[in-house]
């Protein structure tokens, strides 16, 4: 099994393998060096960076839930200038692709940040966080097709890096948003960011999180993420990165066969810091066992034996039963 057989292409972005780390779960990579051999990874996506420093949301910021966790970090970070001065020099020397993740309050924010990152040619791409449910206005650009297209196009005009739009599941229909990201010039979309949720202490009759609501991640959201990957794959011609509840090689293969060209490992890193590197090794073994010579030939090969029924038909059948 040659490493070239693991290569995947997402628009202008080419990765040595499909295993990426999800933003917000891997720090700025330096913290994870004792646990992961970076050259085993397809790429690293560091913590989200904003134009100005943010102190984040009030504590408590995280809580474990059934099959997952809620977080309300609130994009706590030191701002773009500190990221450029302190973290990029280290990240650019790593033997893997590094995709910066940026978030803004306005189109101008995104455009300005992209322009500042444009000179760093060793960056493999930019992931646009237009879907964070834990900050005021965090999902605004990811819930309206026109806004999505506008912000993606502004970033595309500001730099030459490949662009990934990270989209929110907290919307009725994500397909028009993915299509708008494509029209704006995105090379790929990340599906999905966290689902909005909350936790309650009934004894005190108060919310547990300091920000009341947070983003649900982990195995609990994998079925939702798979459904959304499937829907976008069928409707929009754009490469997909699957995100949500990936902790085993079976999870990886499920996303790939459904139509994702790559995956991001997130919450699993908190309880198993070396999981992303392990998954790459397991992927090689599974490909050999299954006789898969090129991973790209396996992606999107999900078999649908019957046409999905319309919502009207589903409702009628439920009513009859």
């Amino acid at each position: 099994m040659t490493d070239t057989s693991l290569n995947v292409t997402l628009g202008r972005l080419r990765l040595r393998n499909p295993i990426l780390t999800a933003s917000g779960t891997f720090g700025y990579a330096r913290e994870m060096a004792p646990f992961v051999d970076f050259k085993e990874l397809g790429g690293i996506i560091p913590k989200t960076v904003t134009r100005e420093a943010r102190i984040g949301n009030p504590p408590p910021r995280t809580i474990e839930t059934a099959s997952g966790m809620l977080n309300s970090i609130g994009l706590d970070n030191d701002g773009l200038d500190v990221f450029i001065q302190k973290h990029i020099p280290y990240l650019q020397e790593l033997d893997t692709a590094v995709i910066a993740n940026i978030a803004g309050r306005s189109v101008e924010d995104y455009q300005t940040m992209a322009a500042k990152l444009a000179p760093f040619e060793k960056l493999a791409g930019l992931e646009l966080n237009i879907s964070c449910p834990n900050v005021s206005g965090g999902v605004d650009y990811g819930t309206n097709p026109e806004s999505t297209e506008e912000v993606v196009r502004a970033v595309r005009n500001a730099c030459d890096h490949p662009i990934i739009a990270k989209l929110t599941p907290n919307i009725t229909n994500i397909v028009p948003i993915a299509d708008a990201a494509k029209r704006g010039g995105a090379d790929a979309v990340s599906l999905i960011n966290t689902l909005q949720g909350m936790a309650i202490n009934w004894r005190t009759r108060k919310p547990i999180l300091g920000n009341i609501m947070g983003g649900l991640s982990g195995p609990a959201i994998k079925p939702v993420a798979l459904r959304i990957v499937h829907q976008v794959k069928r409707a929009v011609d754009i490469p997909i990165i699957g995100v949500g509840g990936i902790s085993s090689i079976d999870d990886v293969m499920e996303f790939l066969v459904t139509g994702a060209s790559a995956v991001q490992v997130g919450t699993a890193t908190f309880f198993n810091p070396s999981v992303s590197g392990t998954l790459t090794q397991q992927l090689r073994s599974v490909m050999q066992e299954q006789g898969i010579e090129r991973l790209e030939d396996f992606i999107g090969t999900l078999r649908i034996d019957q046409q999905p029924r319309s919502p009207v038909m589903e409702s009628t059948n439920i009513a009859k039963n």
Side-chain angles (χ1 to χ4, degrees):
M1 177 65 62
T2 63
D3 276 350
T4 55
S5 63
L6 297 177
N7 291 169
V8 293
T9 302
L10 301 93
R12 296 173 297 157
L13 178 63
R14 185 171 176 82
L15 302 173
R16 64 162 64 117
N17 69 62
I19 307 299
L20 301 164
T21 62
S23 176
T25 64
F26 208 74
Y28 295 105
R30 186 183 279 106
E31 304 93 319
M32 304 303 296
F35 308 102
V36 181
D37 182 355
F38 295 138
K39 69 176 180 290
E40 283 288 303
L41 304 180
I44 291 168
I45 306 179
K47 181 175 172 58
T48 298
V49 180
T50 54
R51 187 173 177 180
E52 306 294 340
R54 292 182 62 101
I55 62 172
N57 290 330
R61 293 180 171 186
T62 61
I63 181 172
E64 188 174 350
T65 67
S67 299
M69 66 174 288
L70 279 168
N71 92 82
S72 181
I73 304 299
L75 303 183
D76 179 358
N77 75 102
D78 293 328
L80 182 62
D81 290 341
V82 173
F83 177 72
I84 290 173
Q85 296 164 11
K86 182 178 179 181
H87 298 294
I88 281 190
Y90 173 80
L91 291 167
Q92 288 188 129
E93 296 306 314
L94 299 182
D95 187 13
T96 191
V98 175
I99 300 167
N101 180 292
I102 61 174
R105 299 178 185 274
S106 65
V107 172
E108 181 188 6
D109 274 357
Y110 283 99
Q111 192 169 30
T112 298
M113 295 179 74
K116 283 192 172 184
L117 291 170
F120 297 98
E121 297 179 357
K122 288 187 178 180
L123 284 180
L126 297 181
E127 184 177 62
L128 311 185
N129 186 348
I130 55 175
S131 51
C132 179
N134 306 319
V135 295
S136 176
V139 299
D140 288 354
Y141 291 102
T143 57
N144 178 279
E146 290 75 21
S147 297
T148 297
E149 181 176 354
E150 181 183 11
V151 74
V152 172
R153 178 170 286 110
V155 171
R156 185 66 182 265
N157 291 337
C159 72
D160 293 327
H161 293 311
I163 298 167
I164 303 163
K166 189 169 187 177
L167 305 186
T168 179
N170 300 301
I171 187 172
T172 303
N173 185 2
I174 201 171
V175 169
I177 307 298
D179 188 54
K182 177 187 176 181
R183 293 197 306 271
D187 293 84
V189 289
S190 292
L191 306 174
I192 52 177
N193 208 325
T194 55
L195 287 157
Q196 196 169 44
M198 62 187 297
I200 301 295
N201 183 333
W202 68 265
R203 291 180 174 85
T204 63
R205 288 176 284 180
K206 292 182 179 180
I208 294 176
L209 293 174
N211 196 50
I212 303 178
M213 290 182 284
L216 178 65
S217 63
I221 75 168
K222 192 184 83 170
V224 177
L226 284 170
R227 182 262 298 174
I228 289 176
V229 168
H230 172 66
Q231 288 177 317
V232 172
K233 178 67 176 179
R234 288 167 63 91
V236 185
D237 183 19
I238 189 170
I240 297 168
I241 301 174
V243 196
I246 296 167
S247 61
S248 71
I249 189 60
D250 287 331
D251 296 331
V252 173
M253 301 306 287
E254 288 172 20
F255 274 92
L256 295 178
V257 76
T258 303
S261 296
V263 298
Q264 293 179 19
V265 183
T267 302
T269 300
F270 294 135
F271 59 83
N272 182 2
S274 62
V275 64
S276 51
T278 301
L279 290 175
T280 302
Q281 297 166 11
Q282 292 175 339
L283 179 59
R284 294 190 184 98
S285 298
V286 168
M287 288 178 64
Q288 289 178 328
E289 293 169 3
Q290 297 296 318
I292 303 170
E293 295 184 1
R294 292 177 65 254
L295 191 61
E296 290 194 320
D297 294 335
F298 175 77
I299 291 168
T301 56
L302 183 68
R303 297 169 183 168
I304 304 294
D305 295 329
Q306 63 182 29
Q307 291 297 317
R309 291 174 291 183
S310 70
V312 172
M313 292 175 62
E314 294 284 2
S315 299
T316 302
N317 289 335
I318 291 171
K320 288 179 180 179
N321 293 331

